[in-house]
Amino acid sequence: MAAPNLVSDMAHIRQFLCGLFTFSLHCSGRPPLCPGCACGGWTDSLTSVFTHFIEKVAANQPAMANEARISKWYFGGLASAGAACFTHPLDLLKVHLQTQQEGKLSIGRNVMNIVRNQGVLALYNGLSASLLRQLSYSTTRFAVYEVAKQQLSTPGQPLPFYMKVLIAASGGACGGFIGTPADMVNVRMQNDIKIAPEKRRNYKHAVDGLYRVLREEGVHRLFSGASSATVRAMLMTVGQLSFYDQVKQTLLGTGYFEDNVTTHFTSSLMAGAIATTMTQPMDVIKTRTMNAKPGEFSGMWHIITHTAKLGPLGFFKGYVPAFVRLGPQTILTFVFLEQLRQNFGVLPVAK
């Protein structure tokens, strides 16, 4: 990976991150912290960490980036967990918007209420559950997808798109079901700060949340919302993994792109937009199912009809923060994944 290309790639990524943080600062009513940059300097910090990671692995193993290496089965989980550390506040805002029925609070007011009442660190409520979810849900879906793709593909000949979709759907179904307990605790911990103190669940961390749900509500409650979570995970994995591979393959086939950060960034951004649109209705239903109190809804159809009272757009509540969160989440996940693959992956075994 050449240094000039790296500088150019990171400049484009910095511009995108700057736009995201400018939007976040505008919503929260905070002024810029540094002159001449509306992002408040946060972009420089995040980009410097990002750049340091890529520069270090590229300098240590410069020849590996051009070799046809493949990912190890656990790389996807590690990359997703790393991305979650950056995007968790956006995920928290998405949950808050999806669980309010009246829809009166905007993104900006939600941010201001959380920071004013709970402090800045409250934006990271439920981070332990979010990491546990990624290490269970994402590790499973990426592992199934990567292993199956490697077993079914022929060297030098990519899989047909429909095969990628089928493999991604299968991986998403497995990951969605396995990750349901951690996902439910994640939703509850994120939503705790918006309800009255006497009604909060006050889980200390993800493991405490799992233990208390098991003890107080039974093992079946750990898998509350498993059906909607599984369907959403199938759509998410198809939108992210199969479309990412297909877009990347198409870009590389044009001859104008190389296997570098720019291509990874462009492919993951498009995959993130597709995945958000495909999964948002199921995401709203899943969030409401997991956050519901025992007996609040009689079943899935009750939740759907309750949400439908808001009109068709009720199923897309929180779409903007969902995309603002899923876009960077998808980008960071695949950029981290590609760096792990290029620098620490294994060479394919001849069949």
Side-chain angles (χ1 to χ4, degrees):
M1 186 181 297
N5 287 339
L6 177 64
V7 172
S8 176
D9 293 338
M10 295 313 302
H12 288 107
I13 293 176
R14 186 191 181 284
Q15 291 175 2
F16 176 76
L17 293 174
C18 183
L20 290 179
F21 283 117
T22 301
F23 174 75
S24 300
L25 280 173
H26 174 72
C27 291
S28 60
R30 294 186 58 184
L33 300 179
C34 61
C37 181
C39 72
W42 297 349
T43 308
D44 289 325
S45 300
L46 183 55
T47 308
S48 65
V49 174
F50 202 15
T51 306
H52 176 72
F53 169 76
I54 296 174
E55 285 179 336
K56 186 172 182 180
V57 296
N60 289 340
Q61 301 179 12
M64 287 188 177
N66 294 324
E67 297 181 7
R69 293 181 172 265
I70 58 177
S71 295
K72 297 180 181 179
W73 65 269
Y74 55 86
F75 280 0
L78 295 178
S80 298
C85 293
F86 291 90
T87 61
H88 185 76
L90 297 171
D91 192 32
L92 180 141
L93 290 173
K94 178 204 71 174
V95 169
H96 281 217
L97 288 175
Q98 289 177 344
T99 53
Q100 63 183 17
Q101 180 67 8
E102 299 301 324
K104 294 181 179 179
L105 291 180
S106 64
I107 301 173
R109 289 194 175 186
N110 265 297
V111 173
M112 288 188 287
N113 284 346
I114 293 170
V115 174
R116 185 188 304 117
N117 298 327
Q118 304 289 331
V120 176
L121 291 181
L123 292 171
Y124 277 89
N125 273 11
L127 178 61
S128 62
S130 181
L131 294 176
L132 179 61
R133 175 178 179 266
Q134 294 299 339
L135 292 174
S136 55
Y137 155 70
S138 286
T139 299
T140 302
R141 67 191 185 114
F142 271 94
V144 171
Y145 183 79
E146 287 294 337
V147 172
K149 186 176 70 172
Q150 293 167 17
Q151 291 296 320
L152 296 174
S153 63
T154 303
Q157 185 175 355
L159 282 177
F161 180 60
Y162 78 90
M163 287 291 292
K164 296 176 185 176
V165 170
L166 292 176
I167 296 172
S170 301
C174 296
F177 183 78
I178 292 174
T180 296
D183 197 7
M184 185 193 67
V185 173
N186 181 38
V187 168
R188 289 186 172 189
M189 291 180 71
Q190 290 176 345
N191 198 56
D192 234 16
I193 61 176
K194 67 177 283 190
I195 59 180
E198 65 275 8
K199 295 182 179 179
R200 293 176 184 172
R201 298 178 175 97
N202 292 319
Y203 299 149
K204 297 177 183 178
H205 44 72
V207 177
D208 178 60
L210 292 173
Y211 173 73
R212 283 184 52 189
V213 173
L214 182 63
R215 184 187 64 185
E216 298 169 8
E217 303 177 48
V219 66
H220 68 282
R221 190 63 179 172
L222 284 173
F223 291 91
S224 172
S227 57
S228 57
T230 300
V231 174
R232 176 189 177 275
M234 293 173 65
L235 296 173
M236 176 69 73
T237 308
V238 169
Q240 285 185 324
L241 274 64
S242 61
F243 274 94
Y244 172 82
D245 274 353
Q246 193 65 28
V247 172
K248 178 185 171 185
Q249 177 185 322
T250 303
L251 292 178
L252 292 175
T254 63
Y256 295 103
F257 291 83
E258 297 178 358
D259 193 5
N260 56 23
V261 178
T262 299
T263 303
H264 305 157
F265 177 86
T266 305
S267 303
S268 56
L269 177 61
M270 296 179 68
I274 294 170
T276 303
T277 305
M278 291 177 64
T279 60
Q280 191 62 14
M282 287 307 304
D283 196 29
V284 171
I285 295 171
K286 181 212 71 171
T287 300
R288 292 191 165 211
T289 302
M290 292 180 171
N291 193 59
K293 298 179 178 61
E296 184 176 356
F297 297 108
S298 58
M300 181 70 67
W301 184 248
H302 187 187
I303 297 175
I304 293 174
T305 55
H306 182 71
T307 306
K309 293 178 182 178
L310 300 172
L313 293 181
F315 292 97
F316 288 88
K317 285 179 71 70
Y319 182 88
V320 172
F323 175 70
V324 172
R325 173 253 173 191
L326 190 59
Q329 168 77 23
T330 305
I331 292 168
L332 292 174
T333 294
F334 281 110
V335 171
F336 289 162
L337 177 63
E338 293 284 9
Q339 291 302 315
L340 288 170
R341 177 186 66 81
Q342 289 182 339
N343 295 280
F344 305 105
V346 295
L347 292 172
V349 178
K351 297 181 180 180

mmCIF file of all heavy atoms in Angstrom, residues 4-29:
data_model
loop_
_atom_site.group_PDB
_atom_site.id
_atom_site.type_symbol
_atom_site.label_atom_id
_atom_site.label_comp_id
_atom_site.label_asym_id
_atom_site.label_seq_id
_atom_site.Cartn_x
_atom_site.Cartn_y
_atom_site.Cartn_z
ATOM 1 N N PRO A 4 1.409 7.675 -0.726
ATOM 2 C CA PRO A 4 0.547 8.691 -1.344
ATOM 3 C C PRO A 4 -0.899 8.230 -1.467
ATOM 4 O O PRO A 4 -1.827 8.998 -1.261
ATOM 5 C CB PRO A 4 1.197 8.912 -2.717
ATOM 6 C CG PRO A 4 2.616 8.491 -2.543
ATOM 7 C CD PRO A 4 2.562 7.340 -1.590
ATOM 8 N N ASN A 5 -1.109 6.950 -1.840
ATOM 9 C CA ASN A 5 -2.468 6.439 -1.958
ATOM 10 C C ASN A 5 -3.148 6.436 -0.606
ATOM 11 O O ASN A 5 -4.341 6.731 -0.487
ATOM 12 C CB ASN A 5 -2.447 5.026 -2.534
ATOM 13 C CG ASN A 5 -2.104 5.021 -4.011
ATOM 14 O OD1 ASN A 5 -2.263 6.034 -4.684
ATOM 15 N ND2 ASN A 5 -1.623 3.891 -4.504
ATOM 16 N N LEU A 6 -2.401 6.089 0.449
ATOM 17 C CA LEU A 6 -2.974 6.054 1.783
ATOM 18 C C LEU A 6 -3.416 7.442 2.213
ATOM 19 O O LEU A 6 -4.509 7.628 2.744
ATOM 20 C CB LEU A 6 -1.943 5.500 2.772
ATOM 21 C CG LEU A 6 -2.372 5.479 4.245
ATOM 22 C CD1 LEU A 6 -3.554 4.540 4.411
ATOM 23 C CD2 LEU A 6 -1.216 5.053 5.138
ATOM 24 N N VAL A 7 -2.555 8.453 1.970
ATOM 25 C CA VAL A 7 -2.904 9.821 2.338
ATOM 26 C C VAL A 7 -4.154 10.271 1.604
ATOM 27 O O VAL A 7 -5.059 10.891 2.165
ATOM 28 C CB VAL A 7 -1.719 10.769 2.041
ATOM 29 C CG1 VAL A 7 -2.134 12.218 2.233
ATOM 30 C CG2 VAL A 7 -0.527 10.423 2.927
ATOM 31 N N SER A 8 -4.239 9.959 0.311
ATOM 32 C CA SER A 8 -5.405 10.339 -0.482
ATOM 33 C C SER A 8 -6.662 9.636 0.011
ATOM 34 O O SER A 8 -7.716 10.251 0.150
ATOM 35 C CB SER A 8 -5.160 9.996 -1.955
ATOM 36 O OG SER A 8 -6.306 10.268 -2.725
ATOM 37 N N ASP A 9 -6.540 8.329 0.289
ATOM 38 C CA ASP A 9 -7.694 7.573 0.778
ATOM 39 C C ASP A 9 -8.192 8.144 2.093
ATOM 40 O O ASP A 9 -9.393 8.336 2.300
ATOM 41 C CB ASP A 9 -7.313 6.099 0.985
ATOM 42 C CG ASP A 9 -7.002 5.402 -0.317
ATOM 43 O OD1 ASP A 9 -7.473 5.900 -1.363
ATOM 44 O OD2 ASP A 9 -6.298 4.378 -0.288
ATOM 45 N N MET A 10 -7.273 8.424 3.029
ATOM 46 C CA MET A 10 -7.680 8.913 4.338
ATOM 47 C C MET A 10 -8.260 10.315 4.246
ATOM 48 O O MET A 10 -9.112 10.691 5.048
ATOM 49 C CB MET A 10 -6.483 8.892 5.299
ATOM 50 C CG MET A 10 -5.965 7.498 5.612
ATOM 51 S SD MET A 10 -7.278 6.310 6.032
ATOM 52 C CE MET A 10 -8.029 7.147 7.418
ATOM 53 N N ALA A 11 -7.832 11.110 3.288
ATOM 54 C CA ALA A 11 -8.392 12.450 3.110
ATOM 55 C C ALA A 11 -9.865 12.355 2.749
ATOM 56 O O ALA A 11 -10.693 13.106 3.279
ATOM 57 C CB ALA A 11 -7.619 13.206 2.030
ATOM 58 N N HIS A 12 -10.218 11.427 1.852
ATOM 59 C CA HIS A 12 -11.617 11.251 1.474
ATOM 60 C C HIS A 12 -12.440 10.744 2.659
ATOM 61 O O HIS A 12 -13.573 11.183 2.878
ATOM 62 C CB HIS A 12 -11.729 10.270 0.306
ATOM 63 C CG HIS A 12 -11.250 10.835 -0.990
ATOM 64 N ND1 HIS A 12 -10.063 10.456 -1.564
ATOM 65 C CD2 HIS A 12 -11.775 11.779 -1.815
ATOM 66 C CE1 HIS A 12 -9.895 11.118 -2.703
ATOM 67 N NE2 HIS A 12 -10.909 11.922 -2.868
ATOM 68 N N ILE A 13 -11.883 9.800 3.408
ATOM 69 C CA ILE A 13 -12.614 9.257 4.557
ATOM 70 C C ILE A 13 -12.800 10.338 5.613
ATOM 71 O O ILE A 13 -13.846 10.442 6.249
ATOM 72 C CB ILE A 13 -11.875 8.042 5.141
ATOM 73 C CG1 ILE A 13 -11.921 6.895 4.127
ATOM 74 C CG2 ILE A 13 -12.454 7.599 6.464
ATOM 75 C CD1 ILE A 13 -11.142 5.672 4.536
ATOM 76 N N ARG A 14 -11.777 11.188 5.791
ATOM 77 C CA ARG A 14 -11.887 12.253 6.776
ATOM 78 C C ARG A 14 -13.018 13.223 6.417
ATOM 79 O O ARG A 14 -13.755 13.690 7.284
ATOM 80 C CB ARG A 14 -10.566 13.025 6.869
ATOM 81 C CG ARG A 14 -10.591 14.056 7.998
ATOM 82 C CD ARG A 14 -9.410 15.014 7.930
ATOM 83 N NE ARG A 14 -9.472 15.959 9.026
ATOM 84 C CZ ARG A 14 -10.306 16.992 9.070
ATOM 85 N NH1 ARG A 14 -11.158 17.203 8.082
ATOM 86 N NH2 ARG A 14 -10.324 17.813 10.114
ATOM 87 N N GLN A 15 -13.158 13.526 5.138
ATOM 88 C CA GLN A 15 -14.235 14.422 4.711
ATOM 89 C C GLN A 15 -15.594 13.837 5.050
ATOM 90 O O GLN A 15 -16.501 14.535 5.512
ATOM 91 C CB GLN A 15 -14.128 14.684 3.210
ATOM 92 C CG GLN A 15 -12.924 15.533 2.810
ATOM 93 C CD GLN A 15 -12.796 15.669 1.300
ATOM 94 O OE1 GLN A 15 -13.622 15.157 0.549
ATOM 95 N NE2 GLN A 15 -11.763 16.357 0.859
ATOM 96 N N PHE A 16 -15.753 12.523 4.852
ATOM 97 C CA PHE A 16 -17.026 11.872 5.157
ATOM 98 C C PHE A 16 -17.302 11.912 6.658
ATOM 99 O O PHE A 16 -18.396 12.256 7.098
ATOM 100 C CB PHE A 16 -16.992 10.426 4.672
ATOM 101 C CG PHE A 16 -18.222 9.634 5.023
ATOM 102 C CD1 PHE A 16 -19.402 9.819 4.332
ATOM 103 C CD2 PHE A 16 -18.198 8.705 6.055
ATOM 104 C CE1 PHE A 16 -20.539 9.093 4.653
ATOM 105 C CE2 PHE A 16 -19.325 7.979 6.381
ATOM 106 C CZ PHE A 16 -20.489 8.165 5.679
ATOM 107 N N LEU A 17 -16.264 11.571 7.476
ATOM 108 C CA LEU A 17 -16.450 11.585 8.924
ATOM 109 C C LEU A 17 -16.721 12.998 9.422
ATOM 110 O O LEU A 17 -17.500 13.203 10.349
ATOM 111 C CB LEU A 17 -15.202 11.015 9.609
ATOM 112 C CG LEU A 17 -14.927 9.528 9.366
ATOM 113 C CD1 LEU A 17 -13.578 9.149 9.974
ATOM 114 C CD2 LEU A 17 -16.029 8.682 9.955
ATOM 115 N N CYS A 18 -16.086 13.974 8.803
ATOM 116 C CA CYS A 18 -16.306 15.370 9.183
ATOM 117 C C CYS A 18 -17.772 15.744 9.005
ATOM 118 O O CYS A 18 -18.359 16.405 9.844
ATOM 119 C CB CYS A 18 -15.418 16.290 8.353
ATOM 120 S SG CYS A 18 -15.544 18.040 8.790
ATOM 121 N N GLY A 19 -18.365 15.299 7.895
ATOM 122 C CA GLY A 19 -19.776 15.575 7.661
ATOM 123 C C GLY A 19 -20.670 14.951 8.710
ATOM 124 O O GLY A 19 -21.626 15.563 9.186
ATOM 125 N N LEU A 20 -20.353 13.717 9.111
ATOM 126 C CA LEU A 20 -21.146 13.038 10.141
ATOM 127 C C LEU A 20 -21.070 13.770 11.467
ATOM 128 O O LEU A 20 -22.080 13.977 12.150
ATOM 129 C CB LEU A 20 -20.663 11.597 10.313
ATOM 130 C CG LEU A 20 -20.952 10.630 9.176
ATOM 131 C CD1 LEU A 20 -20.375 9.261 9.500
ATOM 132 C CD2 LEU A 20 -22.452 10.514 8.940
ATOM 133 N N PHE A 21 -19.854 14.170 11.874
ATOM 134 C CA PHE A 21 -19.714 14.829 13.159
ATOM 135 C C PHE A 21 -20.276 16.241 13.136
ATOM 136 O O PHE A 21 -20.759 16.749 14.144
ATOM 137 C CB PHE A 21 -18.248 14.837 13.588
ATOM 138 C CG PHE A 21 -17.782 13.509 14.104
ATOM 139 C CD1 PHE A 21 -16.782 12.807 13.463
ATOM 140 C CD2 PHE A 21 -18.372 12.934 15.215
ATOM 141 C CE1 PHE A 21 -16.366 11.576 13.917
ATOM 142 C CE2 PHE A 21 -17.959 11.695 15.680
ATOM 143 C CZ PHE A 21 -16.956 11.016 15.041
ATOM 144 N N THR A 22 -20.214 16.899 11.986
ATOM 145 C CA THR A 22 -20.846 18.204 11.855
ATOM 146 C C THR A 22 -22.343 18.082 12.087
ATOM 147 O O THR A 22 -22.958 18.889 12.795
ATOM 148 C CB THR A 22 -20.586 18.792 10.452
ATOM 149 O OG1 THR A 22 -19.182 18.911 10.254
ATOM 150 C CG2 THR A 22 -21.234 20.159 10.308
ATOM 151 N N PHE A 23 -22.945 17.035 11.499
ATOM 152 C CA PHE A 23 -24.375 16.774 11.683
ATOM 153 C C PHE A 23 -24.688 16.524 13.152
ATOM 154 O O PHE A 23 -25.653 17.035 13.704
ATOM 155 C CB PHE A 23 -24.793 15.577 10.837
ATOM 156 C CG PHE A 23 -26.205 15.120 11.058
ATOM 157 C CD1 PHE A 23 -27.262 15.835 10.539
ATOM 158 C CD2 PHE A 23 -26.474 13.975 11.792
ATOM 159 C CE1 PHE A 23 -28.566 15.411 10.740
ATOM 160 C CE2 PHE A 23 -27.768 13.545 12.001
ATOM 161 C CZ PHE A 23 -28.817 14.270 11.472
ATOM 162 N N SER A 24 -23.849 15.709 13.823
ATOM 163 C CA SER A 24 -24.080 15.386 15.227
ATOM 164 C C SER A 24 -23.974 16.623 16.102
ATOM 165 O O SER A 24 -24.779 16.837 17.008
ATOM 166 C CB SER A 24 -23.064 14.339 15.702
ATOM 167 O OG SER A 24 -23.190 13.167 14.952
ATOM 168 N N LEU A 25 -22.965 17.480 15.839
ATOM 169 C CA LEU A 25 -22.802 18.700 16.612
ATOM 170 C C LEU A 25 -23.973 19.654 16.397
ATOM 171 O O LEU A 25 -24.445 20.290 17.336
ATOM 172 C CB LEU A 25 -21.501 19.399 16.225
ATOM 173 C CG LEU A 25 -20.214 18.843 16.853
ATOM 174 C CD1 LEU A 25 -19.013 19.537 16.242
ATOM 175 C CD2 LEU A 25 -20.222 19.043 18.349
ATOM 176 N N HIS A 26 -24.449 19.728 15.157
ATOM 177 C CA HIS A 26 -25.585 20.591 14.858
ATOM 178 C C HIS A 26 -26.821 20.138 15.625
ATOM 179 O O HIS A 26 -27.547 20.950 16.188
ATOM 180 C CB HIS A 26 -25.871 20.584 13.358
ATOM 181 C CG HIS A 26 -27.111 21.339 12.975
ATOM 182 N ND1 HIS A 26 -27.200 22.701 13.005
ATOM 183 C CD2 HIS A 26 -28.342 20.883 12.586
ATOM 184 C CE1 HIS A 26 -28.414 23.081 12.639
ATOM 185 N NE2 HIS A 26 -29.121 21.987 12.372
ATOM 186 N N CYS A 27 -27.050 18.811 15.671
ATOM 187 C CA CYS A 27 -28.219 18.277 16.378
ATOM 188 C C CYS A 27 -28.143 18.529 17.874
ATOM 189 O O CYS A 27 -29.157 18.772 18.522
ATOM 190 C CB CYS A 27 -28.344 16.766 16.120
ATOM 191 S SG CYS A 27 -28.789 16.369 14.428
ATOM 192 N N SER A 28 -26.938 18.450 18.450
ATOM 193 C CA SER A 28 -26.800 18.604 19.896
ATOM 194 C C SER A 28 -26.620 20.050 20.316
ATOM 195 O O SER A 28 -26.539 20.351 21.499
ATOM 196 C CB SER A 28 -25.607 17.780 20.403
ATOM 197 O OG SER A 28 -24.416 18.208 19.779
ATOM 198 N N GLY A 29 -26.544 20.963 19.331
ATOM 199 C CA GLY A 29 -26.442 22.375 19.646
ATOM 200 C C GLY A 29 -25.081 22.806 20.140
ATOM 201 O O GLY A 29 -24.928 23.881 20.716
#
